[in-house]
Amino acid sequence: MDKRFGAEGKLGIAGGGLVSEESQRNLQIAEDLYRKGKYTDALPHVQIALKDRNNFDAIIQLAYLTSDLSLSSSFSTRALLISRLGADCFDDNGPCVGRFGDSGLLLTRPYMRVLQGLGRMCFDAKQYEKAARTIIETLRLNPSDELYQRWWLAPLLIRTGRFADALFFCQLWIHRDVDRSVGTPIRGGTAFRAPSDKLLPPETEETYAQRAPCGMMHSAALAAFRLWGRSPQTAQLLRIAARTNPGILAKIMARRARPTEGKQHAPMNGPDDAHDYLWTAQDLWMAPDVWNWVNEDSAVRALILKSCGRPECAAQETEATQFKRCSGCQLVVYCGASCQKTDWKRHKADCNQRVEIKKILKNIWKNKAMDSEVCVLQGGLDEWPTVL
C-alpha cells in the first residue's frame, strides 16, 4: 500500500519525516505515473525527488524505472539511520531490531521499503540468493512481516537448494497463520532449525486444509519432496496443499503457462492467490520428477478434477482444467456455456459479490481513496459473463 494511506501519511510525515515537501511531492507524482505505465513521464519527477538524499523511496523508484539494481544501495541509507537512531540500531541486541517499520519507528519505514524493492528486483533479475538474503534481513528487522515478504522467501529458499530451511520456515508460519494465538516466529521464522518430519494428526490435517495459506502449504509440500522424496509425509502435505487451493496444482498438471506478473491484491486462497503463487514458483513444480509426483497421486487428482457448477449436471473433468471458469468470480467451473447460462440465475448473487470484493481489494492496493459506502456490496452484472 502507498505510504500516503498508511501511518506516515495520516501523521503527515511520509518518507519517515526526513524528506522535504518538494521531494516528496515529485516522488508521489512519479509513483502515480509509474503505476499507469508512464515510465518516461515519471523519470524527470524522480530526478527532482533525488535531490533530497534522504528520500530512500526515490532511490528505489529510480531503480525500478532503470532496472539498475546497483542504484538501490547507491545512497548510504544505513549510515543515515545510524546517525539518527544510534550506532547499535542494526544490532540484534540493540533497541531497534525487531521494531523496524513499527509506528514507533516511522523513521525506518522508507528503509524497509528499499529492502522490499531490492528483494523484488533481485527476484526479477533471477538473483535468487541475494533476494533471499534481503528478505531474511527484512524479517530480522521486522519479524511480524508487515511487508508480507514471507510469501516470497520459501520459493527462494527452494530455488537456492535450502530445502530444510524452506520447510522449517513454512511449518512455523503455517502454524502461526492457522492459530493466531501463537506468537510471531523468532526473526520472522529465519532462525532456521531442522524441520519436523512427523505426520500430522487427522484433526490438524483437516484444520490446515481449511485454513492454511495455500502458497505456504504448497511450498512446504515441495520443500518436503525435495528433502525426503516420496514418503507418507510428503503425500500428506501435497494432499493438504491441493485442498487449500486446487487451482494451483490443476494448472501445474495441465502444464499451463506461468503467469508473467503478480496481482498482489489477492484474497487468501482464491484464484488470484493461486495466480500469485504460480508467478513465484510454477517453474519449480514443472521439473519432471516433481510433475510426475503430483500427476501420479490418485488422491490429489481426485481433489483437482472438478464437477460442472450447475447442480443438475453430472459432468466431471477427466483432465485438469478441462472445464472453463466463470470469468466473473473465477471460482465456479462449467462443462460448457449452455450449463453456465442455465445456472446464471442461481449463481448471479454469489458471483456479483465476489466481483465487488475483488474490485474493492484492487482499489485498496492501488491506493484509491474510497468512501465507506463503496464497501457496501451493490448491484452487479446484468448479463451472465463469458467463460474463460
Side-chain angles (χ1 to χ4, degrees), residues 18-27 43-59 62 75:
L18 297 173
V19 182
S20 68
E21 290 185 7
E22 177 68 10
S23 176
Q24 194 61 38
R25 184 180 67 82
N26 276 279
L27 176 60
L43 188 57
H45 293 282
V46 173
Q47 291 170 334
I48 295 172
L50 283 169
K51 292 179 180 179
D52 185 337
R53 297 177 68 87
N54 293 332
N55 198 335
F56 301 170
D57 293 303
I59 301 169
L62 181 62
F75 290 5

Side-chain angles (χ1 to χ4, degrees), residues 76-90 100 107:
S76 184
T77 53
R78 286 176 65 94
L80 180 58
L81 286 182
I82 288 171
S83 70
R84 297 294 184 110
L85 299 175
D88 60 350
C89 69
F90 284 94
F100 271 62
L107 186 68

